[in-house]
Amino acid sequence: MVKVLFICHGNICRSPMAEFCLKELVKTHNVEDRFEIASAATSQEEIGNGVYPPVKRLLNSKGIDCSDKRARQINRNDIEYYDYIIVMEDFNLRNLLYLLPDTDQTKLYKLLDFTSKKGGDIDDPWYTGEFERAYSEIEYGCKGFLNTVLKELS
């Protein structure tokens, strides 16, 4: 079982997009029984809140239901439990390491590490308003991640 945790600042935009995008991809590839996928925040700001409405609408337009998702903060147990902890940008990485400084850094990745961009940032659509662009980059990263992991599993 490959356990994946996506991380962003508030767990209401990018990390839920990545969580649900990868869940759809593993379902499409008929390997969902080989993955456990979740998301969390580095901050406490949005804990308990649902997915941000523009993101929810975007996911719904793609046939993805995220209505049960509630923001939560990453914790020490997550660090031990998950195989891959994937952040969206350098800011998330810095916050994660500030919050949990003894994190096993061999588990840490930026989502675009799995693409030809090799470590670029996915801008926060909360600030940019570019939700479609963020989703497109996240989907690109999730496809790269899935291809990488499936190669390793075979």
Side-chain angles (χ1 to χ4, degrees), residues 100-115:
L100 300 165
D102 59 343
T103 295
D104 177 358
Q105 294 190 30
T106 64
K107 295 181 173 190
L108 297 180
Y109 301 87
K110 287 171 51 177
L111 183 56
L112 295 180
D113 287 345
F114 300 97
T115 71

Side-chain angles (χ1 to χ4, degrees), residues 1 9 12-14 42 46 51 65-66 70 85 92 94 98 100 105 109 115 118 131-132 134 144 153:
M1 177 75 64
H9 183 73
I12 60 169
C13 290
R14 291 170 295 172
T42 57
E46 300 289 346
V51 173
D65 179 24
C66 62
R70 294 290 172 261
I85 300 166
N92 306 143
R94 281 192 306 272
Y98 178 78
L100 300 165
Q105 294 190 30
Y109 301 87
T115 71
K118 296 294 182 209
F131 295 95
E132 287 283 349
L153 292 176

Side-chain angles (χ1 to χ4, degrees), residues 32-113:
E32 57 192 317
D33 60 326
R34 299 176 79 179
F35 287 83
E36 182 175 336
I37 305 161
S39 64
T42 57
S43 77
Q44 297 180 359
E45 295 168 35
E46 300 289 346
I47 291 176
N49 290 337
V51 173
Y52 189 51
V55 174
K56 189 173 185 177
R57 284 191 297 275
L58 184 134
L59 291 174
N60 286 342
S61 75
K62 298 177 182 310
I64 300 171
D65 179 24
C66 62
S67 58
D68 291 336
K69 174 67 183 168
R70 294 290 172 261
R72 70 176 191 84
Q73 187 178 35
I74 190 170
N75 61 54
R76 188 162 314 288
N77 292 335
D78 292 326
I79 299 298
E80 295 170 13
Y81 182 76
Y82 287 95
D83 303 311
Y84 292 89
I85 300 166
I86 303 174
V87 302
M88 301 295 128
E89 62 180 346
D90 285 332
F91 178 69
N92 306 143
L93 189 58
R94 281 192 306 272
N95 284 348
L96 173 60
L97 292 173
Y98 178 78
L99 184 64
L100 300 165
D102 59 343
T103 295
D104 177 358
Q105 294 190 30
T106 64
K107 295 181 173 190
L108 297 180
Y109 301 87
K110 287 171 51 177
L111 183 56
L112 295 180
D113 287 345

